[in-house]
């Protein structure tokens, strides 16, 4: 992530919200993830590929959500991390 962001962002816009972004390691998914993070949301992301070093502070779950096993692993991890 770079330090600059070209748009005005309210740091409290999504404060207290939890967001799951699929495909959050590249392209549009990574941009969406960053926007939610900058706006105060707790973010989890899933993708088949690892994020670049230092890319995001989000909870990352490596999984293929196109499979039942992958989708279940995402649900299990989010419940473990966010629900307790």
């Amino acid at each position: 992530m770079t330090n600059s962001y070209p748009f005005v962002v309210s740091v409290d816009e999504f404060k207290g919200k939890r967001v799951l972004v699929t495909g959050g390691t590249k392209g549009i998914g990574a941009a969406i993830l960053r926007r939610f993070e900058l706006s105060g949301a707790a973010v989890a992301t899933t993708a088949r590929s690892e994020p670049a070093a230092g890319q995001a502070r989000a909870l990352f779950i490596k999984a293929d959500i196109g499979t039942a096993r992958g989708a279940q692993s995402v649900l299990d991890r989010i419940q473990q991390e966010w629900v307790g």
Side-chain angles (χ1 to χ4, degrees):
M1 275 201 274
T2 62
N3 290 332
S4 63
Y5 192 74
F7 305 104
V8 175
V9 175
S10 169
V11 296
D12 293 331
E13 183 177 4
F14 294 104
K15 185 176 181 181
K17 304 294 182 186
R18 296 176 181 166
V19 179
L20 171 62
V21 177
T22 60
T25 60
K26 298 178 185 172
I28 293 171
I32 292 168
L33 182 145
R34 183 168 182 224
R35 173 65 169 83
F36 277 119
E37 284 185 329
L38 291 171
S39 299
V43 182
T45 189
T46 182
R48 292 181 303 227
S49 59
E50 299 280 339
Q55 183 179 11
R57 297 178 311 246
L59 167 62
F60 175 72
I61 306 155
K62 185 174 182 177
D64 179 358
I65 61 168
T67 68
R69 179 176 284 170
Q72 188 64 54
S73 70
V74 171
L75 292 173
D76 292 344
R77 180 78 185 280
I78 287 174
Q79 284 185 325
Q80 175 187 355
E81 296 291 329
W82 284 351
V83 179

